[in-house]
């Protein structure tokens, strides 16, 4: 069974299968004489929409990409089990993105059900306007403004509104289309079999569309680039808290990169492990698992990190790994072991419920068999994991990988490591980086 799992996951995440799928879509499009067409799933109260849509509009203009806009409701509870935290964090994160990209600020309003319904009815009418992308951006900003009632009344004067039954039907249609395509979130662009969430992944879509275009890319690649030489020991070392689990593919990408970031800025890195969401009673639907796996593959490939031969460590494998990690941290081997475990599970397809698998991961991190045995006999890691989860929730977050520099706001996702660099520079009094130029 392990060999079959390795074969299936390696094939599923392979560049060869991806290229075959792309070729099939391309051939079908050409045979049918159809234009290149993308779908964007728009939720009126999702703050990531106004950040992504200006770049989507620019892509459609430069590359002759036709765009279908679909109205969708908030994600289902199974796909976003901590919806209130997701919404609160999304407002803060989207505003941070808008600031970094020098876009118009996103409102921090919290629209009620009636205001969301009004915005949906206005957006439904605006789908048929000459400039629907511009209309969706304006409607989302109105919905998220500090005075949504007045702002939405202005939008209704500009675009009109459909009756509740008609707008509800469009929402159900958009939701069904999104589900049929295989996704679960809004502010997501779909093009010929692949999804690109928010502004963060649009550069992958642009890479597919560019062809021989030698012009400057439109979409930003938000990341830290060449790190400065390791700083001489600062008077006060910044602290990075790194929240991780051993069932998160994205944690692999973060673990492989965060050490260099901490070293460059002379930061103390603290590993704060938690149980995976599914082991905390939070569901992870199949469509979400599939998207995360394929998205991690392209992120890992971009950074030169092996990924894709997977043996899911959920359950006993995770528990054994966290027990060893708990003992590795005070030895100064925590990050080395975390990397080794995650590589074994997500790049090498090693069964981490087995003694040979766990011992191999431990040995290459410099941890001997005696330490592993002592760790497996010590249940105290469970209390630490729960305390770390409590800390994570107190920061307004719930998933991993997440990060916090000193007592600054915390950020979620391996694609926010660039923001951690900004916080480190701020902590050290260094000049901020212009992210529109990176």
């Amino acid at each position: 069974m392990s060999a079959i799992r390795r074969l299936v996951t390696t094939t599923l995440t392979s560049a060869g299968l991806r290229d075959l799928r792309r070729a099939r879509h391309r051939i079908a499009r050409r045979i049918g004489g159809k234009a290149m067409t993308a779908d964007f799933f728009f939720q009126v109260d999702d703050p990531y929409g106004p950040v992504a849509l200006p770049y989507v509009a620019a892509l459609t203009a430069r590359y002759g990409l036709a765009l279908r806009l679909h109205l969708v409701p908030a994600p289902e509870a199974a796909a976003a089990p901590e919806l209130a935290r997701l919404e609160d964090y999304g407002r803060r994160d989207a505003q941070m993105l808008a600031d970094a990209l020098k876009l118009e600020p996103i409102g921090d309003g919290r629209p009620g059900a009636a205001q969301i319904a009004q915005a949906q009815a206005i957006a439904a009418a605006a789908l048929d306007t000459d400039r629907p992308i511009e209309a969706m951006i304006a409607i989302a900003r109105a919905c998220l403004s500090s005075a949504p009632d007045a702002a939405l009344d202005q939008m209704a004067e500009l675009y009109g509104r459909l009756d509740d039954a008609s707008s509800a039907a469009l929402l159900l249609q958009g939701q069904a289309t999104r589900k049929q395509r295989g996704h679960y979130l809004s502010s997501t662009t779909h093009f010929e079999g692949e999804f690109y969430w928010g502004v963060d992944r649009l550069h992958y879509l642009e890479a597919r569309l560019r062809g021989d275009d030698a012009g400057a890319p439109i979409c930003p690649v938000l990341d830290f680039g060449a790190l400065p030489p390791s700083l001489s020991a600062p008077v006060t070392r910044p602290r990075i808290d790194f929240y991780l689990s051993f069932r998160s593919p994205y944690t692999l990408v973060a673990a492989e990169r965060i050490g260099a970031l901490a070293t460059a800025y002379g930061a103390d890195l603290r590993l704060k492990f938690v149980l995976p969401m599914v082991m905390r009673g939070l569901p992870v639907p199949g469509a979400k698992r599939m998207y995360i796996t394929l998205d991690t593959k392209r992120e890992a490939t971009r950074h030169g990190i092996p990924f894709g031969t997977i043996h899911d460590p959920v359950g006993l494998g995770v528990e054994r790994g966290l027990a060893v990690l708990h003992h590795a941290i005070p030895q100064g081997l925590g990050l080395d072991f975390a990397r080794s475990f995650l590589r074994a599970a997500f790049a090498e397809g090693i069964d981490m419920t087995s003694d040979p698998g766990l011992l191999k991961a431990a040995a290459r991190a410099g941890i001997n068999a005696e330490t592993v045995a002592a760790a497996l006999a010590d249940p105290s890691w469970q209390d630490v994991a729960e305390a770390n989860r409590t800390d994570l929730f107190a920061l307004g977050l719930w998933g991993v990988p997440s990060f916090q520099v000193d007592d600054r706001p915390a950020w979620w996702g391996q694609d926010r490591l660039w923001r951690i660099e900004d916080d480190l520079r701020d902590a050290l009094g260094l000049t901020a980086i212009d992210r529109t130029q990176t």
Side-chain angles (χ1 to χ4, degrees):
M1 288 300 295
S2 294
I4 293 173
R5 287 191 188 99
R6 287 195 295 269
L7 177 61
V8 169
T9 57
T10 302
T11 302
L12 179 67
T13 59
S14 68
L17 181 58
R18 179 205 64 194
D19 292 344
L20 182 63
R21 288 171 171 164
R22 289 181 177 182
R24 184 189 66 191
H25 282 286
R26 188 167 56 249
I27 291 168
R29 168 170 34 92
R30 290 174 178 173
I31 289 175
K34 298 178 181 178
M36 291 192 302
T37 304
D39 298 274
F40 186 87
F41 297 94
F42 175 74
Q43 179 184 330
V44 295
D45 57 326
D46 182 353
Y48 291 108
V51 180
L53 278 172
Y55 294 97
V56 173
L59 289 178
T60 63
R62 177 181 287 188
Y63 300 108
L65 182 67
L67 185 68
R68 290 183 294 238
L69 286 164
H70 304 270
L71 294 184
V72 293
E76 297 175 357
E82 293 286 347
L83 185 58
R85 284 189 171 88
L86 176 64
E87 291 175 342
D88 286 345
Y89 176 76
R91 283 185 283 268
R92 176 165 66 86
D93 187 53
Q95 183 58 66
M96 183 273 293
L97 285 171
D99 291 343
L101 297 171
K102 300 181 180 178
L103 300 175
E104 183 180 342
I106 307 296
D108 59 357
R110 289 168 169 76
Q115 293 157 335
I116 291 171
Q118 182 183 8
Q120 289 167 340
I122 297 167
L127 288 173
D128 290 331
T129 61
D130 292 338
R131 304 178 71 174
I133 295 178
E134 182 179 297
M136 297 304 116
I137 294 172
I139 292 164
R141 292 189 182 283
C143 187
L144 293 166
S145 71
S146 58
D149 291 323
L152 287 170
D153 286 345
Q154 291 180 348
M155 292 296 103
E157 291 179 6
L158 280 174
Y159 302 113
R161 59 172 292 170
L162 295 189
D163 60 84
D164 291 344
S166 297
S167 61
L170 283 174
L171 284 162
L172 287 174
Q173 181 181 335
Q175 185 179 40
T177 300
R178 178 175 63 184
K179 185 174 182 178
Q180 186 272 329
R181 296 280 197 276
H183 214 272
Y184 51 97
L185 290 178
S186 52
S187 298
T188 301
T189 306
H190 178 267
F191 175 69
E192 296 188 349
E194 295 176 32
F195 287 94
Y196 308 90
W197 176 80
V199 70
D200 293 85
R201 300 296 187 266
L202 284 176
H203 63 92
Y204 287 116
L205 173 57
E206 184 171 14
R208 289 182 67 182
L209 299 173
R210 280 178 67 84
D212 297 329
D213 185 348
I218 293 169
C219 297
V221 181
L222 291 166
D223 198 4
F224 65 80
L227 292 171
S230 297
L231 302 175
S232 57
V235 175
T236 303
R237 291 169 62 90
R239 183 195 76 241
I240 305 174
D241 285 341
F242 174 24
Y243 292 85
L244 70 153
S245 91
F246 275 167
R247 206 222 176 184
S248 161
Y250 290 129
T251 295
L252 167 64
V253 180
E256 292 286 352
R257 307 185 69 219
I258 195 168
L261 189 61
T263 298
Y265 288 98
D268 288 324
L269 181 62
R270 300 197 309 188
L271 273 59
K272 305 191 74 170
F273 55 85
V274 299
L275 281 172
M277 287 198 302
V278 72
M279 293 174 66
R280 290 185 265 134
L282 302 177
V284 184
K288 186 174 182 177
R289 290 197 304 272
M290 179 62 72
Y291 174 74
I292 287 172
T293 299
L294 296 179
D295 185 53
T296 302
K297 176 63 176 183
R298 63 188 172 193
E299 286 285 277
T301 298
R302 181 163 68 91
H303 296 300
I305 299 168
F307 174 83
T309 303
I310 301 169
H311 194 298
D312 190 347
V314 68
L316 183 60
V318 166
E319 292 173 351
R320 286 157 56 88
L322 293 184
V324 176
L325 179 61
H326 180 44
H327 279 241
I329 289 171
Q331 298 180 26
L333 298 173
L335 184 59
D336 290 336
F337 176 70
R339 288 171 172 162
S340 184
F341 182 101
L342 290 161
R343 289 173 190 166
F346 292 106
E348 299 164 348
I350 295 174
D351 181 3
M352 301 309 290
T353 66
S354 71
D355 287 341
L358 185 60
L359 288 169
K360 178 179 179 178
R364 66 184 176 190
I367 301 169
N368 60 36
E370 290 75 17
T371 300
V372 171
L376 295 179
D378 177 10
S380 63
W381 67 268
Q382 298 174 28
D383 292 336
V384 176
E386 176 57 21
N388 291 339
R389 184 204 64 80
T390 300
D391 291 345
L392 182 65
F393 274 48
L395 295 172
L397 301 180
W398 63 100
V400 298
S402 290
F403 317 90
Q404 184 187 31
V405 174
D406 295 334
D407 294 323
R408 289 168 174 76
W411 304 100
W412 173 39
Q414 58 82 26
D415 43 17
R416 290 296 175 265
L417 284 175
W418 63 270
R419 176 65 215 210
I420 300 310
E421 181 181 27
D422 288 352
D423 286 348
L424 289 169
R425 295 181 69 86
D426 180 65
L428 295 168
L430 299 175
T431 305
I433 295 173
D434 184 351
R435 295 295 173 182
T436 64
Q437 302 299 317
T438 59

